Amino acid sequence: MNIEKVILRQIKMDLLHPFTTSVGTEYDKDVILVEVQSSNGHSGWAESVSINEPIYNEETIDTNWPMLRKFLLPELLKAPIAHPSEVSQRFQSIRGQFNAKAAVEQAVWDLYAKEQGRPLAEVLGGTKSSIDVGVSIGITESEDALLEKIAGYVEEGYKRIKVKIKPGWDVELLRAVRRRFPDLEMMADANCAYTLDGIPRLKQLDELNLTMIEQPLAHDDIIDHAELQKHLNTPICLDESLHSYDDVRKAIELGSCRIVNLKIGRVGGLQETLNIHKLCQDHHIPMWCGGMLETGIGRAHNIAVTALPQFLYPGDTAPSSHYWERDIIQPEVRMNRGEIPVPDKPGIGFEPDTGYIEQLTSRKEMFSPKDRAVLQQD
């Protein structure tokens, strides 16, 4: 691939509804978009899933921008690239920065798939023509409000409901959900809200036939999760703790989880996603794709990943209309009775709405291989 130009854009989009977890509430979303252009006229697109505050991981929008322009883009542009797998190799000397790395690498994968004239899902090894869709529900103002939201989503056809929990908003709440929806596929997501002192309370969740409990303990822990799993029949799923193939390998070996939540940004890109996918296949560990309130561009990458065979549970890949009054892709992501078709067009399969994106853009910079020395001097 002969990369001719990279364009960074920052946009802001208002969420249709506030989204509350145990660590905070989001009302809108700042997004960094990465566009990688080749000399033959193709463009690959991706987004950073970082948010404005370091409450999910240490990265934010404001840390990603200088990291991209001063370090990652110079590495990307220092020589031609034959295959997207080379991008993560070039970034190995740079510690962490997984969301920023992923945004660049995913854009290159999209560009590569378009130049091949093949859907990204197919290029990655996906085997599905459609994916099952779940939905994540933030902490609501009341139990009744939560039950009514779930009823609406069940009516729409979502195939799995994820409920955010925290101490004091957990066992009794989930019992109420289970009474009303006895056959619902349901999971609970704690976003690191508990400690091992909470074992007696978390054990009560075993009676509720949950598919999994996601990340109950600390964001950087795999040791205590192994201890907790010994006390629970319900499978633990890890999210925030898993940043790499090695993290997943260690968690599997320790017995810290029985299910893996895969977020492309969290693990640094699609090549590491493929490495983790193979590891989970080899160890018979089910996977599913988590969400970070992505725009349609990030959502399209999630759809492509979920087409891989080891993604056995519905992901947090709700349609565009669940989050945005207007998305930044055409057509928007749409769901039919709990399923989203995997695009059969080249690349991510959706066209960025560039006119609308320009209207939303608050910051923009363009880089080319000849700019590399200038970037390094900034």
Side-chain angles (χ1 to χ4, degrees), residues 219-230:
H219 72 96
D220 56 355
D221 171 75
I222 58 174
I223 302 297
D224 285 351
H225 278 100
E227 178 62 25
L228 176 61
Q229 184 66 88
K230 295 175 185 176

Side-chain angles (χ1 to χ4, degrees), residues 104-122:
V104 177
E105 193 239 32
Q106 288 176 255
V108 174
W109 273 100
D110 182 33
L111 175 63
Y112 176 78
K114 286 171 178 170
E115 292 193 340
Q116 297 283 312
R118 299 166 61 198
L120 178 59
E122 178 185 298

Side-chain angles (χ1 to χ4, degrees), residues 3 6 67-81 86-95 101 104 108 367-369 371-373 375-376:
I3 296 175
V6 179
M67 181 57 56
L68 287 161
R69 70 183 309 275
K70 291 187 176 183
F71 299 101
L72 297 178
L73 292 185
E75 284 297 314
L76 175 73
L77 297 171
K78 70 181 182 181
I81 289 174
E86 298 173 21
V87 178
S88 57
Q89 296 170 15
R90 290 191 186 180
F91 292 166
Q92 281 183 344
S93 64
I94 298 171
R95 304 292 186 186
K101 289 177 177 178
V104 177
V108 174
F367 310 101
S368 64
D371 295 323
R372 182 172 172 266
L375 285 173
Q376 288 181 312

Side-chain angles (χ1 to χ4, degrees), residues 357-374:
I357 289 170
E358 288 299 325
Q359 292 178 36
L360 298 174
T361 296
S362 60
R363 178 163 52 164
K364 180 178 179 180
E365 288 192 73
M366 290 180 276
F367 310 101
S368 64
K370 66 181 177 61
D371 295 323
R372 182 172 172 266
V374 176

Side-chain angles (χ1 to χ4, degrees), residues 122-133:
E122 178 185 298
V123 170
L124 295 174
T127 58
K128 304 169 189 170
S129 59
S130 65
I131 63 167
D132 290 339
V133 185

Side-chain angles (χ1 to χ4, degrees), residues 27-38:
Y27 299 92
D28 51 36
K29 187 79 187 290
D30 282 287
V31 181
I32 293 176
L33 300 176
V34 179
E35 180 187 3
V36 179
Q37 296 181 356
S38 68

